[in-house]
Amino acid sequence: MDPEAAQTARESLELAFHMSNILDTGLDRRTLSVLITLCDLGLNPEALAAVVKELRRESCSSSPMPETPSSVS
């Protein structure tokens, strides 16, 4: 990739990341970059969004429940 194209790609990712933060998606730069690359390769963005949502749902359901402090008598 030539330097100008690389700079454009970095600026585009930075803009997408900024928008992602405004929308409070919780996506980090690396994840966002992977998702953008997958879209560029022709994967369906709606399908990718569904996968991200499902992974988050699974992650939340498999994380241990916080322990509640015992009552002190």
Side-chain angles (χ1 to χ4, degrees):
M1 181 181 293
D2 68 80
E4 188 175 321
Q7 180 63 28
T8 300
R10 280 191 296 275
E11 289 172 359
S12 295
L13 177 59
E14 190 59 34
L15 177 60
F17 182 66
H18 185 65
M19 290 170 48
S20 174
N21 285 337
I22 290 171
L23 296 170
D24 196 27
T25 65
L27 297 173
D28 59 30
R29 273 187 183 85
R30 180 167 163 33
T31 303
L32 188 59
S33 177
V34 169
L35 292 171
I36 291 169
T37 299
L38 290 171
C39 288
D40 287 345
L41 292 172
L43 273 72
N44 182 324
E46 290 179 13
L48 288 172
V51 169
V52 169
K53 287 179 181 179
E54 181 63 26
L55 290 172
R56 284 184 175 168
R57 204 172 8 257
E58 287 179 11
S59 176
C60 287
S61 67
S62 68
S63 63
M65 296 292 290
E67 295 182 23
T68 56
S70 312
S71 299
V72 178
S73 301

Short mmCIF file of all heavy atoms in Angstrom, two decimals:
data_model
loop_
_atom_site.label_atom_id
_atom_site.label_comp_id
_atom_site.label_asym_id
_atom_site.label_seq_id
_atom_site.Cartn_x
_atom_site.Cartn_y
_atom_site.Cartn_z
N MET A 1 0.86 -1.18 0.00
CA MET A 1 0.00 0.00 0.00
C MET A 1 0.90 1.23 0.00
O MET A 1 1.84 1.33 0.78
CB MET A 1 -0.90 -0.03 1.24
CG MET A 1 -1.86 1.13 1.33
SD MET A 1 -2.93 1.16 2.81
CE MET A 1 -3.97 -0.24 2.55
N ASP A 2 0.59 2.17 -0.87
CA ASP A 2 1.42 3.37 -0.92
C ASP A 2 1.13 4.26 0.29
O ASP A 2 0.09 4.13 0.94
CB ASP A 2 1.19 4.12 -2.25
CG ASP A 2 -0.19 4.73 -2.36
OD1 ASP A 2 -0.41 5.80 -1.79
OD2 ASP A 2 -1.06 4.11 -3.04
N PRO A 3 2.06 5.15 0.64
CA PRO A 3 1.92 5.97 1.85
C PRO A 3 0.64 6.81 1.89
O PRO A 3 0.03 6.97 2.94
CB PRO A 3 3.16 6.86 1.83
CG PRO A 3 4.15 6.13 0.99
CD PRO A 3 3.35 5.35 -0.01
N GLU A 4 0.24 7.33 0.74
CA GLU A 4 -0.98 8.16 0.71
C GLU A 4 -2.21 7.31 1.01
O GLU A 4 -3.09 7.72 1.78
CB GLU A 4 -1.12 8.83 -0.65
CG GLU A 4 -2.25 9.84 -0.70
CD GLU A 4 -2.30 10.58 -2.02
OE1 GLU A 4 -1.23 10.91 -2.57
OE2 GLU A 4 -3.42 10.82 -2.50
N ALA A 5 -2.28 6.12 0.44
CA ALA A 5 -3.41 5.22 0.70
C ALA A 5 -3.41 4.77 2.16
O ALA A 5 -4.48 4.67 2.78
CB ALA A 5 -3.35 4.01 -0.23
N ALA A 6 -2.24 4.51 2.71
CA ALA A 6 -2.13 4.11 4.11
C ALA A 6 -2.61 5.23 5.02
O ALA A 6 -3.33 4.98 6.00
CB ALA A 6 -0.70 3.72 4.45
N GLN A 7 -2.25 6.45 4.71
CA GLN A 7 -2.69 7.60 5.50
C GLN A 7 -4.21 7.76 5.43
O GLN A 7 -4.87 8.01 6.44
CB GLN A 7 -1.99 8.89 5.03
CG GLN A 7 -2.38 10.12 5.81
CD GLN A 7 -1.99 10.06 7.28
OE1 GLN A 7 -1.03 9.39 7.66
NE2 GLN A 7 -2.75 10.72 8.12
N THR A 8 -4.76 7.60 4.24
CA THR A 8 -6.21 7.70 4.06
C THR A 8 -6.92 6.62 4.87
O THR A 8 -7.94 6.88 5.53
CB THR A 8 -6.59 7.58 2.57
OG1 THR A 8 -5.96 8.66 1.86
CG2 THR A 8 -8.09 7.66 2.37
N ALA A 9 -6.37 5.40 4.86
CA ALA A 9 -6.96 4.29 5.62
C ALA A 9 -6.92 4.58 7.11
O ALA A 9 -7.91 4.35 7.83
CB ALA A 9 -6.23 2.99 5.31
N ARG A 10 -5.79 5.12 7.59
CA ARG A 10 -5.69 5.48 9.02
C ARG A 10 -6.70 6.55 9.40
O ARG A 10 -7.34 6.48 10.45
CB ARG A 10 -4.27 5.94 9.36
CG ARG A 10 -3.28 4.82 9.55
CD ARG A 10 -1.98 5.32 10.15
NE ARG A 10 -1.27 6.23 9.27
CZ ARG A 10 -0.44 5.86 8.30
NH1 ARG A 10 -0.20 4.59 8.09
NH2 ARG A 10 0.16 6.76 7.55
N GLU A 11 -6.83 7.56 8.54
CA GLU A 11 -7.78 8.64 8.83
C GLU A 11 -9.22 8.12 8.82
O GLU A 11 -10.03 8.53 9.65
CB GLU A 11 -7.60 9.77 7.82
CG GLU A 11 -6.31 10.54 8.00
CD GLU A 11 -6.03 11.53 6.88
OE1 GLU A 11 -6.83 11.60 5.91
OE2 GLU A 11 -4.99 12.22 6.96
N SER A 12 -9.52 7.22 7.90
CA SER A 12 -10.86 6.65 7.83
C SER A 12 -11.17 5.83 9.07
O SER A 12 -12.27 5.91 9.63
CB SER A 12 -11.01 5.77 6.58
OG SER A 12 -10.91 6.56 5.42
N LEU A 13 -10.19 5.04 9.51
CA LEU A 13 -10.38 4.24 10.72
C LEU A 13 -10.56 5.15 11.92
O LEU A 13 -11.42 4.90 12.78
CB LEU A 13 -9.21 3.29 10.94
CG LEU A 13 -9.29 2.45 12.22
CD1 LEU A 13 -10.55 1.59 12.25
CD2 LEU A 13 -8.05 1.59 12.36
N GLU A 14 -9.78 6.22 12.00
CA GLU A 14 -9.90 7.16 13.12
C GLU A 14 -11.28 7.80 13.14
O GLU A 14 -11.90 7.93 14.20
CB GLU A 14 -8.81 8.23 13.04
CG GLU A 14 -8.70 9.09 14.26
CD GLU A 14 -8.42 8.32 15.55
OE1 GLU A 14 -7.69 7.32 15.50
OE2 GLU A 14 -8.94 8.73 16.60
N LEU A 15 -11.80 8.16 11.98
CA LEU A 15 -13.13 8.75 11.88
C LEU A 15 -14.19 7.73 12.30
O LEU A 15 -15.10 8.04 13.08
CB LEU A 15 -13.41 9.23 10.46
CG LEU A 15 -14.79 9.80 10.19
CD1 LEU A 15 -15.06 11.01 11.08
CD2 LEU A 15 -14.94 10.18 8.72
N ALA A 16 -14.07 6.50 11.81
CA ALA A 16 -15.03 5.44 12.17
C ALA A 16 -14.97 5.17 13.68
O ALA A 16 -16.00 4.97 14.33
CB ALA A 16 -14.75 4.18 11.38
N PHE A 17 -13.75 5.17 14.25
CA PHE A 17 -13.60 4.94 15.68
C PHE A 17 -14.24 6.07 16.48
O PHE A 17 -14.91 5.83 17.50
CB PHE A 17 -12.12 4.77 16.04
CG PHE A 17 -11.88 4.48 17.48
CD1 PHE A 17 -12.33 3.29 18.05
CD2 PHE A 17 -11.21 5.38 18.28
CE1 PHE A 17 -12.10 3.01 19.39
CE2 PHE A 17 -10.98 5.11 19.63
CZ PHE A 17 -11.43 3.92 20.18
N HIS A 18 -14.06 7.29 16.03
CA HIS A 18 -14.67 8.44 16.71
C HIS A 18 -16.20 8.31 16.68
O HIS A 18 -16.87 8.51 17.70
CB HIS A 18 -14.21 9.74 16.05
CG HIS A 18 -14.68 10.98 16.73
ND1 HIS A 18 -14.29 11.34 18.00
CD2 HIS A 18 -15.55 11.94 16.32
CE1 HIS A 18 -14.89 12.46 18.34
NE2 HIS A 18 -15.66 12.84 17.34
N MET A 19 -16.75 7.96 15.53
CA MET A 19 -18.20 7.77 15.41
C MET A 19 -18.66 6.62 16.32
O MET A 19 -19.70 6.72 16.97
CB MET A 19 -18.59 7.49 13.96
CG MET A 19 -18.43 8.70 13.07
SD MET A 19 -18.61 8.34 11.31
CE MET A 19 -20.07 7.39 11.22
N SER A 20 -17.87 5.56 16.36
CA SER A 20 -18.18 4.41 17.21
C SER A 20 -18.25 4.82 18.67
O SER A 20 -19.14 4.38 19.41
CB SER A 20 -17.11 3.34 16.99
OG SER A 20 -17.27 2.27 17.87
N ASN A 21 -17.33 5.68 19.09
CA ASN A 21 -17.33 6.17 20.47
C ASN A 21 -18.54 7.05 20.75
O ASN A 21 -19.15 6.96 21.82
CB ASN A 21 -16.04 6.92 20.79
CG ASN A 21 -14.87 5.99 20.97
OD1 ASN A 21 -15.03 4.82 21.28
ND2 ASN A 21 -13.67 6.50 20.75
N ILE A 22 -18.88 7.91 19.80
CA ILE A 22 -20.06 8.77 19.97
C ILE A 22 -21.32 7.92 20.14
O ILE A 22 -22.18 8.22 20.96
CB ILE A 22 -20.20 9.74 18.77
CG1 ILE A 22 -19.08 10.78 18.80
CG2 ILE A 22 -21.58 10.41 18.77
CD1 ILE A 22 -18.99 11.63 17.55
N LEU A 23 -21.38 6.83 19.37
CA LEU A 23 -22.54 5.93 19.43
C LEU A 23 -22.44 4.92 20.57
O LEU A 23 -23.34 4.11 20.76
CB LEU A 23 -22.70 5.20 18.10
CG LEU A 23 -23.00 6.10 16.91
CD1 LEU A 23 -22.90 5.31 15.61
CD2 LEU A 23 -24.38 6.72 17.06
N ASP A 24 -21.34 4.98 21.32
CA ASP A 24 -21.13 4.13 22.48
C ASP A 24 -21.27 2.64 22.13
O ASP A 24 -21.96 1.89 22.80
CB ASP A 24 -22.10 4.51 23.61
CG ASP A 24 -21.68 3.93 24.95
OD1 ASP A 24 -20.46 3.70 25.14
OD2 ASP A 24 -22.56 3.71 25.79
N THR A 25 -20.57 2.23 21.07
CA THR A 25 -20.63 0.83 20.63
C THR A 25 -19.77 -0.08 21.48
O THR A 25 -20.00 -1.29 21.50
CB THR A 25 -20.17 0.69 19.17
OG1 THR A 25 -18.78 1.04 19.08
CG2 THR A 25 -21.00 1.55 18.23
N GLY A 26 -18.76 0.47 22.12
CA GLY A 26 -17.86 -0.35 22.91
C GLY A 26 -16.82 -1.09 22.09
O GLY A 26 -16.11 -1.94 22.59
N LEU A 27 -16.73 -0.78 20.81
CA LEU A 27 -15.74 -1.43 19.94
C LEU A 27 -14.40 -0.72 20.05
O LEU A 27 -14.34 0.50 20.00
CB LEU A 27 -16.20 -1.40 18.48
CG LEU A 27 -17.50 -2.14 18.15
CD1 LEU A 27 -17.91 -1.87 16.72
CD2 LEU A 27 -17.35 -3.63 18.41
N ASP A 28 -13.33 -1.50 20.19
CA ASP A 28 -12.01 -0.89 20.18
C ASP A 28 -11.53 -0.74 18.74
O ASP A 28 -12.17 -1.22 17.80
CB ASP A 28 -11.01 -1.70 21.02
CG ASP A 28 -10.85 -3.14 20.53
OD1 ASP A 28 -11.00 -3.40 19.33
OD2 ASP A 28 -10.57 -4.01 21.37
N ARG A 29 -10.42 -0.05 18.54
CA ARG A 29 -9.91 0.21 17.19
C ARG A 29 -9.63 -1.08 16.42
O ARG A 29 -9.94 -1.19 15.25
CB ARG A 29 -8.63 1.04 17.25
CG ARG A 29 -8.86 2.52 17.29
CD ARG A 29 -7.53 3.26 17.18
NE ARG A 29 -7.74 4.68 17.28
CZ ARG A 29 -7.82 5.35 18.42
NH1 ARG A 29 -7.69 4.72 19.56
NH2 ARG A 29 -8.03 6.65 18.42
N ARG A 30 -9.04 -2.04 17.10
CA ARG A 30 -8.68 -3.30 16.43
C ARG A 30 -9.92 -4.04 15.95
O ARG A 30 -10.00 -4.49 14.81
CB ARG A 30 -7.86 -4.18 17.36
CG ARG A 30 -7.45 -5.49 16.74
CD ARG A 30 -6.39 -6.19 17.55
NE ARG A 30 -6.12 -7.58 17.35
CZ ARG A 30 -6.18 -8.30 16.26
NH1 ARG A 30 -6.59 -7.78 15.15
NH2 ARG A 30 -5.87 -9.58 16.23
N THR A 31 -10.92 -4.16 16.83
CA THR A 31 -12.16 -4.84 16.45
C THR A 31 -12.85 -4.11 15.32
O THR A 31 -13.32 -4.73 14.35
CB THR A 31 -13.09 -4.95 17.68
OG1 THR A 31 -12.40 -5.63 18.72
CG2 THR A 31 -14.36 -5.70 17.33
N LEU A 32 -12.91 -2.80 15.43
CA LEU A 32 -13.53 -2.00 14.38
C LEU A 32 -12.80 -2.18 13.06
O LEU A 32 -13.42 -2.34 12.00
CB LEU A 32 -13.55 -0.53 14.79
CG LEU A 32 -14.34 0.42 13.91
CD1 LEU A 32 -15.79 0.02 13.82
CD2 LEU A 32 -14.23 1.84 14.47
N SER A 33 -11.48 -2.20 13.10
CA SER A 33 -10.67 -2.40 11.90
C SER A 33 -10.97 -3.75 11.26
O SER A 33 -11.11 -3.86 10.03
CB SER A 33 -9.19 -2.28 12.24
OG SER A 33 -8.40 -2.54 11.12
N VAL A 34 -11.06 -4.79 12.08
CA VAL A 34 -11.37 -6.13 11.56
C VAL A 34 -12.75 -6.14 10.92
O VAL A 34 -12.94 -6.69 9.82
CB VAL A 34 -11.27 -7.18 12.69
CG1 VAL A 34 -11.84 -8.52 12.24
CG2 VAL A 34 -9.82 -7.34 13.14
N LEU A 35 -13.72 -5.53 11.57
CA LEU A 35 -15.08 -5.50 11.02
C LEU A 35 -15.13 -4.73 9.70
O LEU A 35 -15.80 -5.16 8.75
CB LEU A 35 -16.04 -4.89 12.04
CG LEU A 35 -16.30 -5.73 13.28
CD1 LEU A 35 -17.09 -4.93 14.32
CD2 LEU A 35 -17.00 -7.02 12.94
N ILE A 36 -14.42 -3.63 9.61
CA ILE A 36 -14.37 -2.85 8.36
C ILE A 36 -13.72 -3.68 7.26
O ILE A 36 -14.22 -3.72 6.13
CB ILE A 36 -13.63 -1.52 8.57
CG1 ILE A 36 -14.47 -0.59 9.46
CG2 ILE A 36 -13.31 -0.85 7.23
CD1 ILE A 36 -13.73 0.65 9.94
N THR A 37 -12.63 -4.37 7.58
CA THR A 37 -11.96 -5.21 6.60
C THR A 37 -12.89 -6.31 6.11
O THR A 37 -12.94 -6.59 4.89
CB THR A 37 -10.67 -5.83 7.20
OG1 THR A 37 -9.80 -4.76 7.57
CG2 THR A 37 -9.98 -6.74 6.22
N LEU A 38 -13.62 -6.94 7.02
CA LEU A 38 -14.55 -7.99 6.62
C LEU A 38 -15.64 -7.44 5.70
O LEU A 38 -16.03 -8.09 4.72
CB LEU A 38 -15.16 -8.66 7.85
CG LEU A 38 -14.19 -9.52 8.67
CD1 LEU A 38 -14.85 -9.94 9.98
CD2 LEU A 38 -13.71 -10.72 7.88
N CYS A 39 -16.12 -6.24 5.98
CA CYS A 39 -17.11 -5.60 5.10
C CYS A 39 -16.50 -5.32 3.73
O CYS A 39 -17.14 -5.54 2.70
CB CYS A 39 -17.65 -4.32 5.71
SG CYS A 39 -18.75 -4.57 7.11
N ASP A 40 -15.25 -4.83 3.72
CA ASP A 40 -14.56 -4.56 2.46
C ASP A 40 -14.39 -5.83 1.63
O ASP A 40 -14.35 -5.79 0.40
CB ASP A 40 -13.19 -3.94 2.70
CG ASP A 40 -13.27 -2.49 3.15
OD1 ASP A 40 -14.35 -1.87 3.01
OD2 ASP A 40 -12.26 -1.98 3.66
N LEU A 41 -14.29 -6.97 2.31
CA LEU A 41 -14.14 -8.26 1.62
C LEU A 41 -15.48 -8.82 1.15
O LEU A 41 -15.53 -9.88 0.53
CB LEU A 41 -13.45 -9.28 2.53
CG LEU A 41 -11.98 -8.98 2.83
CD1 LEU A 41 -11.45 -9.94 3.89
CD2 LEU A 41 -11.15 -9.07 1.56
N GLY A 42 -16.56 -8.11 1.47
CA GLY A 42 -17.87 -8.50 0.96
C GLY A 42 -18.82 -9.14 1.95
O GLY A 42 -19.91 -9.54 1.58
N LEU A 43 -18.41 -9.26 3.22
CA LEU A 43 -19.32 -9.84 4.20
C LEU A 43 -20.45 -8.85 4.49
O LEU A 43 -20.26 -7.63 4.44
CB LEU A 43 -18.58 -10.19 5.50
CG LEU A 43 -17.97 -11.59 5.50
CD1 LEU A 43 -16.77 -11.66 4.58
CD2 LEU A 43 -17.64 -12.02 6.88
N ASN A 44 -21.59 -9.39 4.80
CA ASN A 44 -22.78 -8.59 5.06
C ASN A 44 -22.64 -7.87 6.41
O ASN A 44 -22.51 -8.52 7.45
CB ASN A 44 -23.99 -9.52 5.08
CG ASN A 44 -25.30 -8.79 5.30
OD1 ASN A 44 -25.37 -7.82 6.04
ND2 ASN A 44 -26.33 -9.26 4.65
N PRO A 45 -22.69 -6.52 6.42
CA PRO A 45 -22.54 -5.76 7.66
C PRO A 45 -23.61 -6.10 8.70
O PRO A 45 -23.33 -6.12 9.90
CB PRO A 45 -22.65 -4.30 7.25
CG PRO A 45 -22.58 -4.28 5.77
CD PRO A 45 -22.84 -5.65 5.27
N GLU A 46 -24.83 -6.38 8.26
CA GLU A 46 -25.89 -6.72 9.21
C GLU A 46 -25.61 -8.07 9.86
O GLU A 46 -25.85 -8.25 11.06
CB GLU A 46 -27.25 -6.73 8.51
CG GLU A 46 -27.71 -5.34 8.12
CD GLU A 46 -29.05 -5.35 7.42
OE1 GLU A 46 -29.76 -6.38 7.42
OE2 GLU A 46 -29.40 -4.29 6.85
N ALA A 47 -25.06 -9.00 9.09
CA ALA A 47 -24.70 -10.31 9.65
C ALA A 47 -23.56 -10.16 10.66
O ALA A 47 -23.58 -10.78 11.72
CB ALA A 47 -24.31 -11.28 8.54
N LEU A 48 -22.58 -9.31 10.34
CA LEU A 48 -21.48 -9.07 11.27
C LEU A 48 -21.99 -8.43 12.56
O LEU A 48 -21.56 -8.80 13.65
CB LEU A 48 -20.42 -8.17 10.63
CG LEU A 48 -19.57 -8.82 9.54
CD1 LEU A 48 -18.71 -7.76 8.86
CD2 LEU A 48 -18.72 -9.93 10.11
N ALA A 49 -22.91 -7.49 12.43
CA ALA A 49 -23.49 -6.85 13.62
C ALA A 49 -24.21 -7.88 14.48
O ALA A 49 -24.09 -7.86 15.72
CB ALA A 49 -24.44 -5.73 13.21
N ALA A 50 -24.92 -8.80 13.85
CA ALA A 50 -25.62 -9.85 14.59
C ALA A 50 -24.62 -10.75 15.33
O ALA A 50 -24.86 -11.14 16.48
CB ALA A 50 -26.49 -10.68 13.65
N VAL A 51 -23.50 -11.05 14.69
CA VAL A 51 -22.48 -11.88 15.34
C VAL A 51 -21.88 -11.15 16.54
O VAL A 51 -21.72 -11.75 17.61
CB VAL A 51 -21.37 -12.27 14.33
CG1 VAL A 51 -20.17 -12.89 15.04
CG2 VAL A 51 -21.91 -13.21 13.27
N VAL A 52 -21.59 -9.86 16.38
CA VAL A 52 -21.03 -9.08 17.50
C VAL A 52 -22.02 -9.07 18.66
O VAL A 52 -21.64 -9.29 19.81
CB VAL A 52 -20.68 -7.65 17.05
CG1 VAL A 52 -20.36 -6.76 18.25
CG2 VAL A 52 -19.52 -7.66 16.07
N LYS A 53 -23.29 -8.85 18.36
CA LYS A 53 -24.31 -8.83 19.43
C LYS A 53 -24.39 -10.18 20.12
O LYS A 53 -24.48 -10.25 21.35
CB LYS A 53 -25.68 -8.46 18.85
CG LYS A 53 -25.80 -7.01 18.47
CD LYS A 53 -27.18 -6.76 17.90
CE LYS A 53 -27.35 -5.33 17.48
NZ LYS A 53 -28.69 -5.06 16.90
N GLU A 54 -24.36 -11.26 19.35
CA GLU A 54 -24.44 -12.60 19.94
C GLU A 54 -23.23 -12.89 20.80
O GLU A 54 -23.35 -13.45 21.89
CB GLU A 54 -24.59 -13.65 18.83
CG GLU A 54 -24.71 -15.06 19.36
CD GLU A 54 -25.96 -15.29 20.21
OE1 GLU A 54 -26.96 -14.58 20.03
OE2 GLU A 54 -25.91 -16.18 21.07
N LEU A 55 -22.04 -12.52 20.32
CA LEU A 55 -20.82 -12.74 21.12
C LEU A 55 -20.87 -11.96 22.43
O LEU A 55 -20.45 -12.44 23.47
CB LEU A 55 -19.58 -12.37 20.31
CG LEU A 55 -19.25 -13.31 19.16
CD1 LEU A 55 -18.12 -12.74 18.32
CD2 LEU A 55 -18.90 -14.69 19.67
N ARG A 56 -21.39 -10.75 22.37
CA ARG A 56 -21.52 -9.95 23.59
C ARG A 56 -22.51 -10.60 24.55
O ARG A 56 -22.29 -10.64 25.76
CB ARG A 56 -21.96 -8.53 23.27
CG ARG A 56 -20.86 -7.70 22.72
CD ARG A 56 -21.30 -6.30 22.52
NE ARG A 56 -20.18 -5.49 22.11
CZ ARG A 56 -20.28 -4.27 21.64
NH1 ARG A 56 -21.46 -3.71 21.53
NH2 ARG A 56 -19.21 -3.60 21.27
N ARG A 57 -23.63 -11.10 23.99
CA ARG A 57 -24.64 -11.74 24.82
C ARG A 57 -24.06 -12.98 25.50
O ARG A 57 -24.26 -13.19 26.69
CB ARG A 57 -25.84 -12.11 23.94
CG ARG A 57 -27.12 -12.24 24.66
CD ARG A 57 -28.36 -12.41 23.78
NE ARG A 57 -28.20 -12.60 22.37
CZ ARG A 57 -28.40 -11.65 21.44
NH1 ARG A 57 -28.74 -10.43 21.81
NH2 ARG A 57 -28.25 -11.91 20.16
N GLU A 58 -23.30 -13.77 24.74
CA GLU A 58 -22.67 -14.97 25.30
C GLU A 58 -21.63 -14.59 26.35
O GLU A 58 -21.52 -15.25 27.38
CB GLU A 58 -22.00 -15.80 24.20
CG GLU A 58 -22.97 -16.53 23.32
CD GLU A 58 -22.30 -17.31 22.22
OE1 GLU A 58 -21.05 -17.46 22.25
OE2 GLU A 58 -23.01 -17.77 21.32
N SER A 59 -20.89 -13.53 26.07
CA SER A 59 -19.86 -13.08 27.01
C SER A 59 -20.48 -12.64 28.33
O SER A 59 -19.97 -12.94 29.40
CB SER A 59 -19.05 -11.95 26.39
OG SER A 59 -18.13 -11.45 27.31
N CYS A 60 -21.58 -11.94 28.23
CA CYS A 60 -22.27 -11.46 29.45
C CYS A 60 -22.86 -12.62 30.23
O CYS A 60 -22.81 -12.63 31.45
CB CYS A 60 -23.37 -10.47 29.09
SG CYS A 60 -22.76 -8.87 28.58
N SER A 61 -23.41 -13.59 29.53
CA SER A 61 -24.05 -14.70 30.23
C SER A 61 -23.04 -15.67 30.83
O SER A 61 -23.34 -16.38 31.77
CB SER A 61 -25.01 -15.45 29.30
OG SER A 61 -24.31 -16.10 28.28
N SER A 62 -21.82 -15.70 30.28
CA SER A 62 -20.83 -16.64 30.80
C SER A 62 -19.91 -16.01 31.84
O SER A 62 -19.14 -16.71 32.48
CB SER A 62 -19.98 -17.21 29.66
OG SER A 62 -19.18 -16.21 29.10
N SER A 63 -19.98 -14.69 32.02
CA SER A 63 -19.13 -14.06 33.03
C SER A 63 -19.69 -14.37 34.41
O SER A 63 -20.89 -14.45 34.61
CB SER A 63 -19.03 -12.56 32.79
OG SER A 63 -20.29 -11.96 32.92
N PRO A 64 -18.80 -14.56 35.37
CA PRO A 64 -19.28 -14.90 36.72
C PRO A 64 -20.07 -13.76 37.33
O PRO A 64 -19.80 -12.60 37.10
CB PRO A 64 -17.99 -15.15 37.51
CG PRO A 64 -16.91 -14.52 36.73
CD PRO A 64 -17.37 -14.43 35.30
N MET A 65 -21.06 -14.15 38.11
CA MET A 65 -21.89 -13.16 38.79
C MET A 65 -21.08 -12.55 39.93
O MET A 65 -20.37 -13.27 40.63
CB MET A 65 -23.15 -13.82 39.36
CG MET A 65 -24.08 -14.41 38.30
SD MET A 65 -24.84 -13.13 37.29
CE MET A 65 -25.92 -12.41 38.46
N PRO A 66 -21.18 -11.24 40.11
CA PRO A 66 -20.46 -10.64 41.23
C PRO A 66 -21.03 -11.15 42.55
O PRO A 66 -22.21 -11.35 42.68
CB PRO A 66 -20.70 -9.14 41.06
CG PRO A 66 -21.88 -9.02 40.16
CD PRO A 66 -21.94 -10.29 39.35
N GLU A 67 -20.14 -11.38 43.49
CA GLU A 67 -20.56 -11.87 44.79
C GLU A 67 -21.10 -10.72 45.61
O GLU A 67 -20.58 -9.60 45.58
CB GLU A 67 -19.39 -12.52 45.52
CG GLU A 67 -18.89 -13.77 44.82
CD GLU A 67 -17.76 -14.43 45.59
OE1 GLU A 67 -17.65 -14.20 46.81
OE2 GLU A 67 -17.01 -15.15 44.94
N THR A 68 -22.17 -11.00 46.34
CA THR A 68 -22.73 -9.97 47.22
C THR A 68 -22.13 -10.16 48.61
O THR A 68 -21.93 -11.29 49.06
CB THR A 68 -24.26 -10.08 47.29
OG1 THR A 68 -24.60 -11.39 47.73
CG2 THR A 68 -24.88 -9.80 45.94
N PRO A 69 -21.81 -9.07 49.27
CA PRO A 69 -21.22 -9.19 50.60
C PRO A 69 -22.21 -9.83 51.58
O PRO A 69 -23.41 -9.60 51.49
CB PRO A 69 -20.88 -7.76 51.01
CG PRO A 69 -21.58 -6.88 50.04
CD PRO A 69 -21.96 -7.70 48.85
N SER A 70 -21.71 -10.64 52.47
CA SER A 70 -22.55 -11.28 53.50
C SER A 70 -22.98 -10.25 54.51
O SER A 70 -22.30 -9.29 54.79
CB SER A 70 -21.77 -12.38 54.22
OG SER A 70 -21.13 -13.20 53.31
N SER A 71 -24.11 -10.50 55.08
CA SER A 71 -24.58 -9.62 56.14
C SER A 71 -23.74 -9.86 57.39
O SER A 71 -23.43 -11.00 57.72
CB SER A 71 -26.07 -9.89 56.47
OG SER A 71 -26.84 -9.66 55.33
N VAL A 72 -23.37 -8.80 58.04
CA VAL A 72 -22.59 -8.91 59.26
C VAL A 72 -23.56 -8.88 60.42
O VAL A 72 -24.38 -7.99 60.54
CB VAL A 72 -21.57 -7.74 59.37
CG1 VAL A 72 -20.79 -7.84 60.67
CG2 VAL A 72 -20.67 -7.74 58.17
N SER A 73 -23.51 -9.90 61.28
CA SER A 73 -24.44 -9.98 62.41
C SER A 73 -23.83 -9.39 63.65
O SER A 73 -22.70 -9.47 63.93
CB SER A 73 -24.84 -11.42 62.70
OG SER A 73 -25.45 -11.95 61.57
#
